[in-house]
Amino acid sequence: MVEQPEPPEEPRLPPGQYVPRGRPVMHYGRVPTFRPETWRLHVMGATATGEQHGFSWPEFSGLPRTTVLADFHCVTKFSIMGNEWSGVSTATLMELVPPAPGVRHVMIWGEYGYSANVRLGDFTHAQTMFALELDEKPISPERGFPVRMVVPHLYAWKSVKWVRAVEYLLEDKRGFWEERGYHNIADPWREQRYSYQEEAGEGPP
Ligand SMILES: Nc1nc2c(c(=O)[nH]1)N[C@H]1C(S)=C(S)[C@@H](COP(=O)(O)O)O[C@H]1N2
Ligand SMILES: [Mo]
């Protein structure tokens, strides 16, 4: 019997990325304090009913959870490999508060006004989630406690820490870094780092 060669493994590191020692922490501004009594996760904008919904901490933390194993790629070129995130899938949230039929984009808002925009298809991607745990422990304060967004198939600035609101959008709009020269879509496999690389249709007019 002739031995079959092993199929080549899929590359795990997108172009231009490297794996540093340890797990860098990166964000703009201070680490917020979590106040469970007043904390809300708002779903707003173009909802199907036209009303916004605010999940309290007991409500949100009691939703069914899923686990995702994923790598994490920062546009400054470090990648953090093999993170085990556990939390609430975007599918679960969208069942509870569905978007209006015309929604094509989503803005994700963190504390202090940080934001990142994604296309609806990136929001509903199977790995996109609201993470409450990393590697079987609650997410640490500097990594986004109590809840952070995880959009592992896009550059990590889209993975908003300390997430407080999801806004359904009928039209494309730029978030915090997207307004400051970073790519509207941010696919690390296509090295979509900067807004000057955007092609027609990849950003708001
Ligand atoms: N709220 C908020 N979320 C944020 C950021 C930020 O400045 N504020 N920085 C982003 C960037 S650029 C990166 S690389 C990742 C870093 O996540 P980490 O600190 O868990 O490695 O968080 C992202 N989420
Ligand atoms: Mo980043």
Side-chain angles (χ1 to χ4, degrees):
M1 210 174 119
V2 183
E3 259 187 58
Q4 292 294 313
E6 294 274 321
E9 272 192 37
E10 299 257 325
R12 271 187 65 181
L13 209 54
Q17 298 293 117
Y18 72 98
V19 178
R21 261 185 227 176
R23 291 182 170 192
V25 168
M26 170 97 83
H27 56 261
Y28 183 86
R30 293 186 296 124
V31 174
T33 306
F34 171 52
R35 295 192 174 79
E37 314 76 42
T38 54
W39 185 94
R40 292 285 180 281
L41 194 137
H42 293 282
V43 184
M44 54 196 207
T47 61
T49 63
E51 294 187 359
Q52 66 161 286
H53 184 83
F55 290 90
S56 68
W57 176 244
E59 282 168 351
F60 194 79
S61 58
L63 293 176
R65 298 194 188 181
T66 54
T67 296
V68 158
L69 184 67
D71 307 332
F72 194 81
H73 310 293
C74 174
V75 73
T76 66
K77 301 198 170 176
F78 69 81
S79 289
I80 307 179
M81 311 302 276
N83 306 281
E84 191 187 314
W85 304 102
S86 163
V88 178
S89 70
T90 52
T92 295
L93 184 103
M94 290 176 69
E95 267 170 41
L96 295 169
V97 192
V103 168
R104 296 287 173 274
H105 303 269
V106 179
M107 189 72 80
I108 302 149
W109 293 95
E111 297 274 359
Y112 308 137
Y114 183 89
S115 62
N117 60 296
V118 294
R119 296 175 298 185
L120 185 65
D122 291 318
F123 188 73
T124 58
H125 188 284
Q127 290 195 318
T128 304
M129 71 188 298
F130 300 89
L132 289 85
E133 290 180 54
L134 171 58
D135 297 334
E136 300 184 335
K137 291 182 288 283
I139 291 184
S140 63
E142 69 275 14
R143 286 198 195 276
F145 181 79
V147 184
R148 84 174 293 167
M149 202 71 211
V150 176
V151 192
H153 68 290
L154 300 180
Y155 281 124
W157 83 78
K158 303 273 193 189
S159 293
V160 176
K161 305 200 253 193
W162 315 294
V163 61
R164 292 297 295 273
V166 165
E167 184 186 3
Y168 293 139
L169 299 172
L170 300 170
E171 273 161 30
D172 201 359
K173 218 157 92 180
R174 289 177 181 276
F176 183 86
W177 286 119
E178 295 81 3
E179 274 187 333
R180 289 167 175 77
Y182 287 89
H183 199 286
N184 198 50
I185 294 175
D187 179 353
W189 297 97
R190 298 174 62 196
E191 275 206 272
Q192 293 175 329
R193 298 178 188 273
Y194 307 109
S195 51
Y196 66 74
Q197 299 170 284
E198 286 170 20
E199 289 170 22
E202 289 183 333

PDB file of all heavy atoms in Angstrom, residues 23-29 72-75 78 80 85 110-111 114 142-143 148 156-162 177, ligand 1:
ATOM      1  N   ARG A  23       0.644  37.397  26.612  1.00  0.00           N
ATOM      2  CA  ARG A  23      -0.571  37.868  25.963  1.00  0.00           C
ATOM      3  C   ARG A  23      -0.725  39.352  26.212  1.00  0.00           C
ATOM      4  O   ARG A  23      -1.184  39.763  27.268  1.00  0.00           O
ATOM      5  CB  ARG A  23      -1.786  37.140  26.542  1.00  0.00           C
ATOM      6  CG  ARG A  23      -1.830  35.676  26.177  1.00  0.00           C
ATOM      7  CD  ARG A  23      -3.081  35.066  26.760  1.00  0.00           C
ATOM      8  NE  ARG A  23      -3.298  33.728  26.240  1.00  0.00           N
ATOM      9  CZ  ARG A  23      -4.420  33.047  26.389  1.00  0.00           C
ATOM     10  NH1 ARG A  23      -5.426  33.575  27.063  1.00  0.00           N
ATOM     11  NH2 ARG A  23      -4.546  31.843  25.885  1.00  0.00           N
ATOM     12  N   PRO A  24      -0.318  40.167  25.246  1.00  0.00           N
ATOM     13  CA  PRO A  24      -0.395  41.614  25.444  1.00  0.00           C
ATOM     14  C   PRO A  24      -1.819  42.070  25.714  1.00  0.00           C
ATOM     15  O   PRO A  24      -2.771  41.459  25.238  1.00  0.00           O
ATOM     16  CB  PRO A  24       0.098  42.177  24.117  1.00  0.00           C
ATOM     17  CG  PRO A  24       0.739  41.051  23.392  1.00  0.00           C
ATOM     18  CD  PRO A  24       0.176  39.788  23.924  1.00  0.00           C
ATOM     19  N   VAL A  25      -1.943  43.121  26.505  1.00  0.00           N
ATOM     20  CA  VAL A  25      -3.227  43.791  26.730  1.00  0.00           C
ATOM     21  C   VAL A  25      -3.133  45.119  25.996  1.00  0.00           C
ATOM     22  O   VAL A  25      -2.108  45.784  26.049  1.00  0.00           O
ATOM     23  CB  VAL A  25      -3.471  44.027  28.233  1.00  0.00           C
ATOM     24  CG1 VAL A  25      -4.647  44.968  28.454  1.00  0.00           C
ATOM     25  CG2 VAL A  25      -3.725  42.703  28.945  1.00  0.00           C
ATOM     26  N   MET A  26      -4.190  45.476  25.277  1.00  0.00           N
ATOM     27  CA  MET A  26      -4.126  46.699  24.475  1.00  0.00           C
ATOM     28  C   MET A  26      -5.485  47.377  24.452  1.00  0.00           C
ATOM     29  O   MET A  26      -6.478  46.756  24.113  1.00  0.00           O
ATOM     30  CB  MET A  26      -3.704  46.282  23.056  1.00  0.00           C
ATOM     31  CG  MET A  26      -3.815  47.354  22.018  1.00  0.00           C
ATOM     32  SD  MET A  26      -2.275  48.166  21.741  1.00  0.00           S
ATOM     33  CE  MET A  26      -1.494  47.055  20.615  1.00  0.00           C
ATOM     34  N   HIS A  27      -5.516  48.625  24.855  1.00  0.00           N
ATOM     35  CA  HIS A  27      -6.741  49.419  24.679  1.00  0.00           C
ATOM     36  C   HIS A  27      -6.421  50.885  24.880  1.00  0.00           C
ATOM     37  O   HIS A  27      -5.356  51.259  25.353  1.00  0.00           O
ATOM     38  CB  HIS A  27      -7.853  48.984  25.635  1.00  0.00           C
ATOM     39  CG  HIS A  27      -7.452  49.022  27.077  1.00  0.00           C
ATOM     40  ND1 HIS A  27      -7.051  47.898  27.752  1.00  0.00           N
ATOM     41  CD2 HIS A  27      -7.375  50.045  27.958  1.00  0.00           C
ATOM     42  CE1 HIS A  27      -6.748  48.232  29.004  1.00  0.00           C
ATOM     43  NE2 HIS A  27      -6.916  49.529  29.145  1.00  0.00           N
ATOM     44  N   TYR A  28      -7.428  51.678  24.541  1.00  0.00           N
ATOM     45  CA  TYR A  28      -7.357  53.123  24.601  1.00  0.00           C
ATOM     46  C   TYR A  28      -8.105  53.549  25.858  1.00  0.00           C
ATOM     47  O   TYR A  28      -9.240  53.127  26.069  1.00  0.00           O
ATOM     48  CB  TYR A  28      -8.056  53.636  23.336  1.00  0.00           C
ATOM     49  CG  TYR A  28      -8.061  55.115  23.138  1.00  0.00           C
ATOM     50  CD1 TYR A  28      -6.987  55.736  22.509  1.00  0.00           C
ATOM     51  CD2 TYR A  28      -9.130  55.885  23.553  1.00  0.00           C
ATOM     52  CE1 TYR A  28      -6.985  57.096  22.311  1.00  0.00           C
ATOM     53  CE2 TYR A  28      -9.140  57.248  23.352  1.00  0.00           C
ATOM     54  CZ  TYR A  28      -8.066  57.848  22.738  1.00  0.00           C
ATOM     55  OH  TYR A  28      -8.073  59.189  22.524  1.00  0.00           O
ATOM     56  N   GLY A  29      -7.507  54.330  26.724  1.00  0.00           N
ATOM     57  CA  GLY A  29      -8.225  54.849  27.901  1.00  0.00           C
ATOM     58  C   GLY A  29      -8.182  53.923  29.110  1.00  0.00           C
ATOM     59  O   GLY A  29      -7.433  52.958  29.147  1.00  0.00           O
ATOM     60  N   PHE A  72      -6.530  35.500  17.698  1.00  0.00           N
ATOM     61  CA  PHE A  72      -6.868  36.894  17.903  1.00  0.00           C
ATOM     62  C   PHE A  72      -5.774  37.745  17.273  1.00  0.00           C
ATOM     63  O   PHE A  72      -4.615  37.580  17.629  1.00  0.00           O
ATOM     64  CB  PHE A  72      -6.836  37.021  19.434  1.00  0.00           C
ATOM     65  CG  PHE A  72      -7.427  38.220  20.025  1.00  0.00           C
ATOM     66  CD1 PHE A  72      -8.788  38.302  20.191  1.00  0.00           C
ATOM     67  CD2 PHE A  72      -6.624  39.255  20.467  1.00  0.00           C
ATOM     68  CE1 PHE A  72      -9.344  39.411  20.801  1.00  0.00           C
ATOM     69  CE2 PHE A  72      -7.179  40.353  21.066  1.00  0.00           C
ATOM     70  CZ  PHE A  72      -8.546  40.433  21.235  1.00  0.00           C
ATOM     71  N   HIS A  73      -6.091  38.581  16.298  1.00  0.00           N
ATOM     72  CA  HIS A  73      -5.057  39.280  15.528  1.00  0.00           C
ATOM     73  C   HIS A  73      -5.155  40.799  15.676  1.00  0.00           C
ATOM     74  O   HIS A  73      -6.110  41.406  15.190  1.00  0.00           O
ATOM     75  CB  HIS A  73      -5.173  38.897  14.050  1.00  0.00           C
ATOM     76  CG  HIS A  73      -5.249  37.413  13.834  1.00  0.00           C
ATOM     77  ND1 HIS A  73      -4.192  36.570  14.112  1.00  0.00           N
ATOM     78  CD2 HIS A  73      -6.261  36.616  13.400  1.00  0.00           C
ATOM     79  CE1 HIS A  73      -4.545  35.323  13.851  1.00  0.00           C
ATOM     80  NE2 HIS A  73      -5.801  35.322  13.416  1.00  0.00           N
ATOM     81  N   CYS A  74      -4.174  41.392  16.342  1.00  0.00           N
ATOM     82  CA  CYS A  74      -4.150  42.853  16.488  1.00  0.00           C
ATOM     83  C   CYS A  74      -3.495  43.462  15.249  1.00  0.00           C
ATOM     84  O   CYS A  74      -2.505  42.941  14.733  1.00  0.00           O
ATOM     85  CB  CYS A  74      -3.371  43.253  17.735  1.00  0.00           C
ATOM     86  SG  CYS A  74      -3.168  45.046  17.877  1.00  0.00           S
ATOM     87  N   VAL A  75      -4.001  44.604  14.816  1.00  0.00           N
ATOM     88  CA  VAL A  75      -3.467  45.274  13.631  1.00  0.00           C
ATOM     89  C   VAL A  75      -2.020  45.738  13.854  1.00  0.00           C
ATOM     90  O   VAL A  75      -1.265  45.915  12.891  1.00  0.00           O
ATOM     91  CB  VAL A  75      -4.402  46.429  13.198  1.00  0.00           C
ATOM     92  CG1 VAL A  75      -4.304  47.613  14.160  1.00  0.00           C
ATOM     93  CG2 VAL A  75      -4.120  46.879  11.774  1.00  0.00           C
ATOM     94  N   PHE A  78       0.687  41.751  16.512  1.00  0.00           N
ATOM     95  CA  PHE A  78       0.795  40.555  17.348  1.00  0.00           C
ATOM     96  C   PHE A  78      -0.500  39.754  17.223  1.00  0.00           C
ATOM     97  O   PHE A  78      -1.573  40.298  16.968  1.00  0.00           O
ATOM     98  CB  PHE A  78       1.089  40.902  18.817  1.00  0.00           C
ATOM     99  CG  PHE A  78      -0.028  41.580  19.569  1.00  0.00           C
ATOM    100  CD1 PHE A  78      -1.084  40.858  20.104  1.00  0.00           C
ATOM    101  CD2 PHE A  78      -0.021  42.964  19.765  1.00  0.00           C
ATOM    102  CE1 PHE A  78      -2.117  41.481  20.804  1.00  0.00           C
ATOM    103  CE2 PHE A  78      -1.040  43.597  20.463  1.00  0.00           C
ATOM    104  CZ  PHE A  78      -2.089  42.851  20.983  1.00  0.00           C
ATOM    105  N   ILE A  80      -2.648  36.494  19.242  1.00  0.00           N
ATOM    106  CA  ILE A  80      -2.737  35.651  20.430  1.00  0.00           C
ATOM    107  C   ILE A  80      -3.490  34.397  20.003  1.00  0.00           C
ATOM    108  O   ILE A  80      -4.638  34.476  19.567  1.00  0.00           O
ATOM    109  CB  ILE A  80      -3.452  36.382  21.591  1.00  0.00           C
ATOM    110  CG1 ILE A  80      -2.784  37.732  21.863  1.00  0.00           C
ATOM    111  CG2 ILE A  80      -3.424  35.529  22.843  1.00  0.00           C
ATOM    112  CD1 ILE A  80      -3.425  38.544  22.988  1.00  0.00           C
ATOM    113  N   TRP A  85     -12.973  31.194  24.344  1.00  0.00           N
ATOM    114  CA  TRP A  85     -13.969  32.168  24.803  1.00  0.00           C
ATOM    115  C   TRP A  85     -15.274  31.460  25.095  1.00  0.00           C
ATOM    116  O   TRP A  85     -15.682  30.571  24.344  1.00  0.00           O
ATOM    117  CB  TRP A  85     -14.238  33.220  23.726  1.00  0.00           C
ATOM    118  CG  TRP A  85     -13.040  33.964  23.240  1.00  0.00           C
ATOM    119  CD1 TRP A  85     -12.367  33.747  22.076  1.00  0.00           C
ATOM    120  CD2 TRP A  85     -12.375  35.051  23.894  1.00  0.00           C
ATOM    121  NE1 TRP A  85     -11.335  34.645  21.965  1.00  0.00           N
ATOM    122  CE2 TRP A  85     -11.315  35.450  23.072  1.00  0.00           C
ATOM    123  CE3 TRP A  85     -12.589  35.729  25.103  1.00  0.00           C
ATOM    124  CZ2 TRP A  85     -10.457  36.490  23.396  1.00  0.00           C
ATOM    125  CZ3 TRP A  85     -11.730  36.761  25.441  1.00  0.00           C
ATOM    126  CH2 TRP A  85     -10.683  37.138  24.597  1.00  0.00           C
ATOM    127  N   GLY A 110     -18.635  50.343  23.363  1.00  0.00           N
ATOM    128  CA  GLY A 110     -18.049  50.003  24.654  1.00  0.00           C
ATOM    129  C   GLY A 110     -18.232  51.157  25.626  1.00  0.00           C
ATOM    130  O   GLY A 110     -18.840  52.179  25.288  1.00  0.00           O
ATOM    131  N   GLU A 111     -17.709  51.022  26.830  1.00  0.00           N
ATOM    132  CA  GLU A 111     -17.699  52.125  27.799  1.00  0.00           C
ATOM    133  C   GLU A 111     -16.913  53.299  27.210  1.00  0.00           C
ATOM    134  O   GLU A 111     -16.023  53.106  26.390  1.00  0.00           O
ATOM    135  CB  GLU A 111     -16.992  51.690  29.088  1.00  0.00           C
ATOM    136  CG  GLU A 111     -17.666  50.557  29.814  1.00  0.00           C
ATOM    137  CD  GLU A 111     -18.768  51.031  30.763  1.00  0.00           C
ATOM    138  OE1 GLU A 111     -19.014  52.251  30.877  1.00  0.00           O
ATOM    139  OE2 GLU A 111     -19.383  50.142  31.372  1.00  0.00           O
ATOM    140  N   TYR A 114     -16.064  54.212  23.120  1.00  0.00           N
ATOM    141  CA  TYR A 114     -15.334  53.420  22.110  1.00  0.00           C
ATOM    142  C   TYR A 114     -16.365  52.669  21.273  1.00  0.00           C
ATOM    143  O   TYR A 114     -17.399  52.243  21.782  1.00  0.00           O
ATOM    144  CB  TYR A 114     -14.400  52.425  22.797  1.00  0.00           C
ATOM    145  CG  TYR A 114     -13.550  51.603  21.835  1.00  0.00           C
ATOM    146  CD1 TYR A 114     -12.306  52.057  21.423  1.00  0.00           C
ATOM    147  CD2 TYR A 114     -14.000  50.376  21.353  1.00  0.00           C
ATOM    148  CE1 TYR A 114     -11.521  51.314  20.555  1.00  0.00           C
ATOM    149  CE2 TYR A 114     -13.222  49.616  20.478  1.00  0.00           C
ATOM    150  CZ  TYR A 114     -11.987  50.090  20.091  1.00  0.00           C
ATOM    151  OH  TYR A 114     -11.213  49.346  19.225  1.00  0.00           O
ATOM    152  N   GLU A 142      -9.017  44.184  32.697  1.00  0.00           N
ATOM    153  CA  GLU A 142      -8.329  44.870  31.590  1.00  0.00           C
ATOM    154  C   GLU A 142      -8.612  44.228  30.234  1.00  0.00           C
ATOM    155  O   GLU A 142      -8.358  44.835  29.200  1.00  0.00           O
ATOM    156  CB  GLU A 142      -6.821  44.990  31.864  1.00  0.00           C
ATOM    157  CG  GLU A 142      -6.038  43.708  31.843  1.00  0.00           C
ATOM    158  CD  GLU A 142      -6.051  42.938  33.173  1.00  0.00           C
ATOM    159  OE1 GLU A 142      -6.885  43.251  34.059  1.00  0.00           O
ATOM    160  OE2 GLU A 142      -5.225  42.014  33.304  1.00  0.00           O
ATOM    161  N   ARG A 143      -9.172  43.021  30.216  1.00  0.00           N
ATOM    162  CA  ARG A 143      -9.548  42.384  28.941  1.00  0.00           C
ATOM    163  C   ARG A 143     -11.032  42.528  28.616  1.00  0.00           C
ATOM    164  O   ARG A 143     -11.504  41.952  27.636  1.00  0.00           O
ATOM    165  CB  ARG A 143      -9.161  40.906  28.929  1.00  0.00           C
ATOM    166  CG  ARG A 143      -7.693  40.702  28.769  1.00  0.00           C
ATOM    167  CD  ARG A 143      -7.346  39.294  28.334  1.00  0.00           C
ATOM    168  NE  ARG A 143      -5.945  39.061  28.531  1.00  0.00           N
ATOM    169  CZ  ARG A 143      -5.002  39.421  27.659  1.00  0.00           C
ATOM    170  NH1 ARG A 143      -5.323  40.004  26.535  1.00  0.00           N
ATOM    171  NH2 ARG A 143      -3.739  39.195  27.929  1.00  0.00           N
ATOM    172  N   ARG A 148     -17.136  41.264  26.802  1.00  0.00           N
ATOM    173  CA  ARG A 148     -16.493  41.854  25.632  1.00  0.00           C
ATOM    174  C   ARG A 148     -17.002  41.161  24.382  1.00  0.00           C
ATOM    175  O   ARG A 148     -17.438  40.030  24.412  1.00  0.00           O
ATOM    176  CB  ARG A 148     -14.977  41.732  25.713  1.00  0.00           C
ATOM    177  CG  ARG A 148     -14.460  40.383  25.215  1.00  0.00           C
ATOM    178  CD  ARG A 148     -12.962  40.320  25.157  1.00  0.00           C
ATOM    179  NE  ARG A 148     -12.390  41.212  24.155  1.00  0.00           N
ATOM    180  CZ  ARG A 148     -11.109  41.495  24.105  1.00  0.00           C
ATOM    181  NH1 ARG A 148     -10.273  40.982  25.000  1.00  0.00           N
ATOM    182  NH2 ARG A 148     -10.647  42.278  23.174  1.00  0.00           N
ATOM    183  N   ALA A 156      -8.454  42.783  15.784  1.00  0.00           N
ATOM    184  CA  ALA A 156      -8.975  42.751  17.152  1.00  0.00           C
ATOM    185  C   ALA A 156      -9.566  44.070  17.636  1.00  0.00           C
ATOM    186  O   ALA A 156     -10.249  44.083  18.658  1.00  0.00           O
ATOM    187  CB  ALA A 156      -7.874  42.294  18.110  1.00  0.00           C
ATOM    188  N   TRP A 157      -9.339  45.195  16.916  1.00  0.00           N
ATOM    189  CA  TRP A 157      -9.973  46.418  17.402  1.00  0.00           C
ATOM    190  C   TRP A 157     -11.492  46.323  17.276  1.00  0.00           C
ATOM    191  O   TRP A 157     -12.214  47.079  17.926  1.00  0.00           O
ATOM    192  CB  TRP A 157      -9.417  47.660  16.714  1.00  0.00           C
ATOM    193  CG  TRP A 157      -9.993  48.006  15.371  1.00  0.00           C
ATOM    194  CD1 TRP A 157     -11.200  48.614  15.153  1.00  0.00           C
ATOM    195  CD2 TRP A 157      -9.408  47.802  14.083  1.00  0.00           C
ATOM    196  NE1 TRP A 157     -11.390  48.795  13.791  1.00  0.00           N
ATOM    197  CE2 TRP A 157     -10.298  48.298  13.112  1.00  0.00           C
ATOM    198  CE3 TRP A 157      -8.194  47.245  13.656  1.00  0.00           C
ATOM    199  CZ2 TRP A 157     -10.037  48.246  11.748  1.00  0.00           C
ATOM    200  CZ3 TRP A 157      -7.930  47.195  12.299  1.00  0.00           C
ATOM    201  CH2 TRP A 157      -8.840  47.691  11.359  1.00  0.00           C
ATOM    202  N   LYS A 158     -11.984  45.378  16.445  1.00  0.00           N
ATOM    203  CA  LYS A 158     -13.434  45.176  16.317  1.00  0.00           C
ATOM    204  C   LYS A 158     -13.990  44.417  17.532  1.00  0.00           C
ATOM    205  O   LYS A 158     -15.205  44.355  17.715  1.00  0.00           O
ATOM    206  CB  LYS A 158     -13.757  44.392  15.049  1.00  0.00           C
ATOM    207  CG  LYS A 158     -13.245  45.012  13.743  1.00  0.00           C
ATOM    208  CD  LYS A 158     -14.219  46.002  13.151  1.00  0.00           C
ATOM    209  CE  LYS A 158     -13.867  46.388  11.716  1.00  0.00           C
ATOM    210  NZ  LYS A 158     -14.703  47.506  11.241  1.00  0.00           N
ATOM    211  N   SER A 159     -13.118  43.799  18.334  1.00  0.00           N
ATOM    212  CA  SER A 159     -13.552  43.010  19.500  1.00  0.00           C
ATOM    213  C   SER A 159     -13.653  43.936  20.714  1.00  0.00           C
ATOM    214  O   SER A 159     -12.772  43.966  21.573  1.00  0.00           O
ATOM    215  CB  SER A 159     -12.576  41.867  19.755  1.00  0.00           C
ATOM    216  OG  SER A 159     -12.634  40.923  18.701  1.00  0.00           O
ATOM    217  N   VAL A 160     -14.737  44.685  20.765  1.00  0.00           N
ATOM    218  CA  VAL A 160     -14.925  45.766  21.740  1.00  0.00           C
ATOM    219  C   VAL A 160     -14.984  45.216  23.166  1.00  0.00           C
ATOM    220  O   VAL A 160     -15.801  44.351  23.473  1.00  0.00           O
ATOM    221  CB  VAL A 160     -16.216  46.543  21.413  1.00  0.00           C
ATOM    222  CG1 VAL A 160     -16.506  47.605  22.466  1.00  0.00           C
ATOM    223  CG2 VAL A 160     -16.128  47.163  20.021  1.00  0.00           C
ATOM    224  N   LYS A 161     -14.100  45.740  24.014  1.00  0.00           N
ATOM    225  CA  LYS A 161     -14.123  45.362  25.428  1.00  0.00           C
ATOM    226  C   LYS A 161     -15.161  46.207  26.161  1.00  0.00           C
ATOM    227  O   LYS A 161     -15.535  47.273  25.694  1.00  0.00           O
ATOM    228  CB  LYS A 161     -12.737  45.601  26.050  1.00  0.00           C
ATOM    229  CG  LYS A 161     -11.623  44.889  25.288  1.00  0.00           C
ATOM    230  CD  LYS A 161     -10.406  44.714  26.140  1.00  0.00           C
ATOM    231  CE  LYS A 161      -9.286  45.625  25.735  1.00  0.00           C
ATOM    232  NZ  LYS A 161      -7.996  45.228  26.380  1.00  0.00           N
ATOM    233  N   TRP A 162     -15.597  45.734  27.323  1.00  0.00           N
ATOM    234  CA  TRP A 162     -16.580  46.453  28.165  1.00  0.00           C
ATOM    235  C   TRP A 162     -17.784  46.896  27.326  1.00  0.00           C
ATOM    236  O   TRP A 162     -18.222  48.041  27.381  1.00  0.00           O
ATOM    237  CB  TRP A 162     -15.915  47.662  28.839  1.00  0.00           C
ATOM    238  CG  TRP A 162     -14.576  47.328  29.413  1.00  0.00           C
ATOM    239  CD1 TRP A 162     -14.332  46.480  30.460  1.00  0.00           C
ATOM    240  CD2 TRP A 162     -13.293  47.806  28.970  1.00  0.00           C
ATOM    241  NE1 TRP A 162     -12.978  46.405  30.685  1.00  0.00           N
ATOM    242  CE2 TRP A 162     -12.325  47.214  29.786  1.00  0.00           C
ATOM    243  CE3 TRP A 162     -12.882  48.679  27.966  1.00  0.00           C
ATOM    244  CZ2 TRP A 162     -10.965  47.452  29.630  1.00  0.00           C
ATOM    245  CZ3 TRP A 162     -11.536  48.919  27.798  1.00  0.00           C
ATOM    246  CH2 TRP A 162     -10.588  48.308  28.627  1.00  0.00           C
ATOM    247  N   TRP A 177     -11.893  53.525  15.555  1.00  0.00           N
ATOM    248  CA  TRP A 177     -10.650  53.427  14.769  1.00  0.00           C
ATOM    249  C   TRP A 177     -10.909  53.551  13.277  1.00  0.00           C
ATOM    250  O   TRP A 177     -10.040  54.009  12.529  1.00  0.00           O
ATOM    251  CB  TRP A 177      -9.895  52.128  15.081  1.00  0.00           C
ATOM    252  CG  TRP A 177      -9.230  52.175  16.422  1.00  0.00           C
ATOM    253  CD1 TRP A 177      -9.472  51.354  17.482  1.00  0.00           C
ATOM    254  CD2 TRP A 177      -8.216  53.104  16.863  1.00  0.00           C
ATOM    255  NE1 TRP A 177      -8.686  51.714  18.559  1.00  0.00           N
ATOM    256  CE2 TRP A 177      -7.908  52.778  18.201  1.00  0.00           C
ATOM    257  CE3 TRP A 177      -7.553  54.177  16.259  1.00  0.00           C
ATOM    258  CZ2 TRP A 177      -6.959  53.487  18.947  1.00  0.00           C
ATOM    259  CZ3 TRP A 177      -6.605  54.882  16.994  1.00  0.00           C
ATOM    260  CH2 TRP A 177      -6.319  54.526  18.328  1.00  0.00           C
TER     261      TRP A 177
HETATM  262  N1  LIG B   1     -13.433  49.229  24.665  1.00  0.00           N
HETATM  263  C1  LIG B   1     -12.317  48.974  23.973  1.00  0.00           C
HETATM  264  N2  LIG B   1     -12.183  47.782  23.376  1.00  0.00           N
HETATM  265  C2  LIG B   1     -11.062  47.483  22.680  1.00  0.00           C
HETATM  266  C3  LIG B   1     -10.013  48.425  22.554  1.00  0.00           C
HETATM  267  C4  LIG B   1     -10.190  49.690  23.186  1.00  0.00           C
HETATM  268  O1  LIG B   1      -9.330  50.590  23.107  1.00  0.00           O
HETATM  269  N3  LIG B   1     -11.335  49.914  23.902  1.00  0.00           N
HETATM  270  N4  LIG B   1      -8.876  48.096  21.833  1.00  0.00           N
HETATM  271  C5  LIG B   1      -8.998  47.016  20.847  1.00  0.00           C
HETATM  272  C6  LIG B   1      -7.702  46.540  20.362  1.00  0.00           C
HETATM  273  S1  LIG B   1      -6.849  47.567  19.326  1.00  0.00           S
HETATM  274  C7  LIG B   1      -7.225  45.277  20.646  1.00  0.00           C
HETATM  275  S2  LIG B   1      -5.776  44.689  19.951  1.00  0.00           S
HETATM  276  C8  LIG B   1      -7.921  44.381  21.582  1.00  0.00           C
HETATM  277  C9  LIG B   1      -6.955  43.896  22.640  1.00  0.00           C
HETATM  278  O2  LIG B   1      -7.543  42.953  23.479  1.00  0.00           O
HETATM  279  P1  LIG B   1      -6.690  42.388  24.696  1.00  0.00           P
HETATM  280  O3  LIG B   1      -6.307  43.541  25.565  1.00  0.00           O
HETATM  281  O4  LIG B   1      -7.578  41.391  25.376  1.00  0.00           O
HETATM  282  O5  LIG B   1      -5.453  41.737  24.104  1.00  0.00           O
HETATM  283  O6  LIG B   1      -9.035  45.024  22.218  1.00  0.00           O
HETATM  284  C10 LIG B   1      -9.811  45.826  21.364  1.00  0.00           C
HETATM  285  N5  LIG B   1     -10.968  46.272  22.096  1.00  0.00           N
END
